[in-house]
Amino acid sequence: MTSPDQDGKIFVGKGASDETLALALANRHGLVTGATGTGKTVSLQVLAEGLSRAGVPVFAADIKGDLSGVAASGEAKPDFVKRAKELGFDYTPEEFPVVFWDLFGEQGHPIRATIFEMGPLLISRMLELNDVQEGVINIAFRYADDDPELKAVDGQGLVDMKDLRELLSYLSKNGKEISARYGNVAVTAVGAVQRQLLVLENQGGAKFFGEPALAVSDLIRTDANGRGVINVLAADKLMASPRLYATFLLWLLSELFEKLPEVGDPKKPKLVFFFDEAHLLFNEAPKELLDKVEQVVRLIRSKGVGVYFVTQNPLDVPDKVLGQLGNRVQHALRAFTPRDQKAVAAAAATFRPNPKLNTAQVITELGKGEALVSFLEGNGTPAMVDRTMIRPPSARIGPVTPEERKAVIDKSPFKGKYDQTIDPISAFEILQKRALAGGGLPPAGGAPGSDTAGAGAPGQAPSQPGFFHRLGDRVCNIFGIGRPHGTVLTTSQQVARNVARAVAVGVATQIAAELTKSTGSKTAGTISKAVVRGALGGVMRK
């Protein structure tokens, strides 16, 4: 027997009977737990291989680099051959279709998201902000959504970290007006957020934000033979920034939840997502974030996505989330201290009891290649827990070489799609030009017929300019400083405009003085002052 997988089921190992994961129930989520070095990564690899054979794409974080071996053919080692025989099949080495990803773009294709896609809640979590600082981030996002110029470009202008930094600086400089519209913007709070942005940037987080952003549909692919592609995220360097790692994976789950259509209960998942070192997601997480995790895990099942958390102990996962995880693989836990013994008892209590096993005792006795397994049965209820010998992986156990990794990347269907960063016109450029033009916040709108009526947002043409604005436009045109609306000034053009503005104001002021002197009329003086204002308005709008 070359393959022990059955129709619609993945063979994982054998205890008193075969332990198989039903594909129709694989989107009901799962949990792989166990102490360091007890075989969690091997179990994860076995599950990923079985899903790939069945045509189900997989996304998995590779914390130590060991999972990358799934891209290379395994080796028929005597121990593997012997174990396979004992489990009732012949060991056959295989390799699987793999795409390597890396937030830093070093060991795989870069993965990027825009600041706007990440959203204020996850940005605040990533930066470890307090309530006041999180309020500043919420105001920044709201302002980007309200500002006409920012709203007109992709992602409300918030693409990368320099966009967010520039927007925060802009809000700080215009704090009085911003506070009147959206609530208090404390300069100290803005400074604290900017410092946290700097810390994240020093950790390499800036590489994650930008374009082209990841299209989640690129994670859901099969190869020419119908096997599901295994997407491996290189996370060894990423683990130096655990908040970035956890927030990124939660963002990816949220993107899948928001963008995939409802499919109900398919015969097999559209994608299975493995979240390694899952405790990092829940450590010191605020209630709002935990609620979001619970919501995504509870509802993403109907999108055909299965989520499997990989961590050391079930206690690492909050009860609300733990209750959603029906498929369980428990490797050994050690009970050397009272705290360890409590953890073992808690882990045993999460399984459906087996009268033939003392579950808590077995957890401490499990050897290499063994685990306690309980998968969902046909009616969706957990099977009784059983001590199981896990099948050996068909691909390599251990990392690929840098040369092998490069060969896989070179053959990738996404080669060239994400590798180069694109820097579009966004908040950084728009707000810098607005500052050079001397513009503040976009006006809320003047009274119809007044000199400020229809002025619009900075950089936009007024809809109905008043008489003196039109007169000011004429003055500007005389001095050659007119330009089509909507175009962008270069630095030299900006300097020329400022010089022309001074000249225009000087001429208009001289005209006013001469009119007043020759007529002595207050009306002439009033008109001349309006001409000056009109000239200024026309220059500023050019």
Side-chain angles (χ1 to χ4, degrees):
M1 180 180 178
T2 56
S3 176
D5 293 337
Q6 305 171 20
D7 185 31
K9 294 182 178 181
I10 299 170
F11 178 80
V12 176
K14 178 177 286 190
S17 59
D18 290 352
E19 292 292 341
T20 57
L21 174 62
L23 290 172
L25 299 171
N27 65 331
R28 302 294 180 90
H29 312 317
L31 181 69
V32 180
T33 53
T36 300
T38 57
K40 295 191 301 294
T41 302
V42 172
S43 291
L44 191 159
Q45 183 170 335
V46 167
L47 290 170
E49 290 179 359
L51 291 163
S52 178
R53 289 190 198 96
V56 178
V58 170
F59 183 93
D62 190 11
I63 299 296
K64 301 185 293 293
D66 293 344
L67 192 60
S68 63
V70 75
S73 180
E75 183 181 348
K77 297 179 179 179
D79 288 347
F80 290 177
V81 173
K82 179 182 177 183
R83 190 191 302 181
K85 286 287 187 184
E86 292 172 351
L87 298 179
F89 68 99
D90 298 324
Y91 183 83
T92 304
E94 296 178 86
E95 63 182 69
F96 294 84
V98 170
V99 173
F100 288 117
W101 303 92
D102 183 1
L103 259 65
F104 304 105
E106 297 172 358
Q107 301 181 69
H109 301 298
I111 293 183
R112 301 183 191 88
T114 67
I115 291 284
F116 190 78
E117 283 178 330
M118 181 67 70
L121 175 62
L122 294 183
I123 290 290
S124 299
R125 162 70 168 171
M126 187 182 297
L127 298 178
E128 303 182 52
L129 304 183
N130 61 31
D131 290 343
V132 174
Q133 296 157 1
E134 185 176 346
V136 170
I137 290 292
N138 277 282
I139 290 174
F141 273 77
R142 178 60 184 271
Y143 179 83
D145 195 46
D146 290 345
D147 185 279
E149 280 190 284
L150 298 180
K151 196 170 184 177
V153 296
D154 290 343
Q156 260 71 348
L158 296 178
V159 174
D160 51 29
M161 286 181 66
K162 72 178 187 297
D163 291 322
L164 181 56
R165 192 184 302 111
E166 185 68 23
L167 178 55
L168 290 169
S169 177
Y170 182 79
L171 298 184
S172 180
K173 292 174 183 175
N174 296 276
K176 184 176 181 181
E177 295 87 347
I178 290 290
S179 297
R181 292 192 196 179
Y182 301 102
N184 186 44
V185 178
V187 175
T188 53
V190 173
V193 174
Q194 289 174 324
R195 288 193 296 273
Q196 290 298 93
L197 282 172
L198 182 62
V199 171
L200 182 62
E201 189 171 3
N202 289 341
Q203 294 174 350
K207 294 183 178 180
F208 171 53
F209 296 107
E211 289 187 340
L214 175 70
V216 294
S217 57
D218 286 341
L219 303 178
I220 306 174
R221 294 173 59 91
T222 56
D223 70 357
N225 299 318
R227 288 194 166 193
V229 172
I230 300 175
N231 300 277
V232 177
L233 173 69
D236 48 349
K237 183 177 178 181
L238 185 59
M239 287 308 297
S241 307
R243 281 290 179 97
L244 176 60
Y245 167 76
T247 309
F248 158 69
L249 290 186
L250 179 55
W251 164 79
L252 187 52
L253 271 179
S254 300
E255 284 290 290
L256 290 166
F257 173 67
E258 291 173 7
K259 294 185 177 179
L260 292 180
E262 293 279 344
V263 295
D265 287 316
K267 293 183 179 179
K268 62 183 180 182
K270 296 181 67 173
L271 176 72
V272 170
F273 188 102
F274 289 96
F275 198 137
D276 202 358
E277 299 292 342
H279 64 280
L280 296 174
L281 178 61
F282 306 108
N283 282 352
E284 301 177 3
K287 182 180 183 300
E288 294 82 359
L289 188 66
L290 292 177
D291 290 343
K292 183 177 180 64
V293 175
E294 180 195 357
Q295 178 195 43
V296 170
V297 171
R298 181 164 44 86
L299 299 178
I300 203 171
R301 176 189 63 80
S302 62
K303 305 294 183 89
V305 177
V307 182
Y308 287 69
F309 293 98
V310 184
T311 189
Q312 293 195 14
N313 194 290
L315 295 180
D316 296 333
V317 182
D319 289 342
K320 287 184 178 180
V321 177
L322 191 63
Q324 307 290 329
L325 312 180
N327 298 300
R328 305 283 184 90
V329 178
Q330 173 71 63
H331 287 274
L333 290 174
R334 308 308 176 199
F336 299 126
T337 68
R339 184 176 182 277
D340 293 339
Q341 292 166 6
K342 182 179 178 181
V344 169
T350 64
F351 286 101
R352 178 182 169 186
N354 185 338
K356 298 180 180 179
L357 290 178
N358 182 335
T359 307
Q361 180 179 339
V362 171
I363 287 177
T364 64
E365 297 173 347
L366 293 169
K368 186 177 180 180
E370 285 188 304
L372 286 172
V373 174
S374 173
F375 293 136
L376 295 176
E377 296 179 321
N379 57 0
T381 59
M384 285 191 301
V385 63
D386 197 7
R387 186 170 185 166
T388 303
M389 179 63 71
I390 304 296
R391 67 176 291 180
S394 300
R396 180 187 302 173
I397 296 180
V400 294
T401 65
E403 294 75 20
E404 290 171 325
R405 183 185 290 269
K406 183 177 183 302
V408 172
I409 295 171
D410 288 341
K411 294 187 299 182
S412 168
F414 306 117
K415 184 174 175 59
K417 180 174 181 179
Y418 295 107
D419 298 335
Q420 297 298 322
T421 304
I422 298 172
D423 189 8
I425 298 296
S426 51
F428 179 79
E429 291 80 11
I430 292 171
L431 297 178
Q432 286 254 320
K433 285 165 186 166
R434 189 178 296 176
L436 285 172
L441 293 180
S450 70
D451 284 349
T452 57
Q460 291 188 329
S463 56
Q464 294 180 341
F467 169 77
F468 290 114
H469 268 159
R470 295 197 299 273
L471 184 59
D473 285 343
R474 293 292 186 183
V475 175
C476 293
N477 290 334
I478 289 171
F479 289 95
I481 53 175
R483 66 182 177 89
H485 289 299
T487 59
V488 176
L489 290 174
T490 64
T491 302
S492 59
Q493 289 172 329
Q494 181 71 42
V495 173
R497 189 186 75 161
N498 291 339
V499 172
R501 169 170 46 186
V503 173
V505 171
V507 171
T509 302
Q510 186 62 37
I511 292 171
E514 291 297 327
L515 283 171
T516 303
K517 181 179 179 180
S518 60
T519 65
S521 169
K522 293 183 178 180
T523 302
T526 302
I527 293 174
S528 64
K529 291 177 183 178
V531 171
V532 173
R533 290 200 305 271
L536 279 169
V539 173
M540 289 300 293
R541 292 184 297 107
K542 285 296 182 182

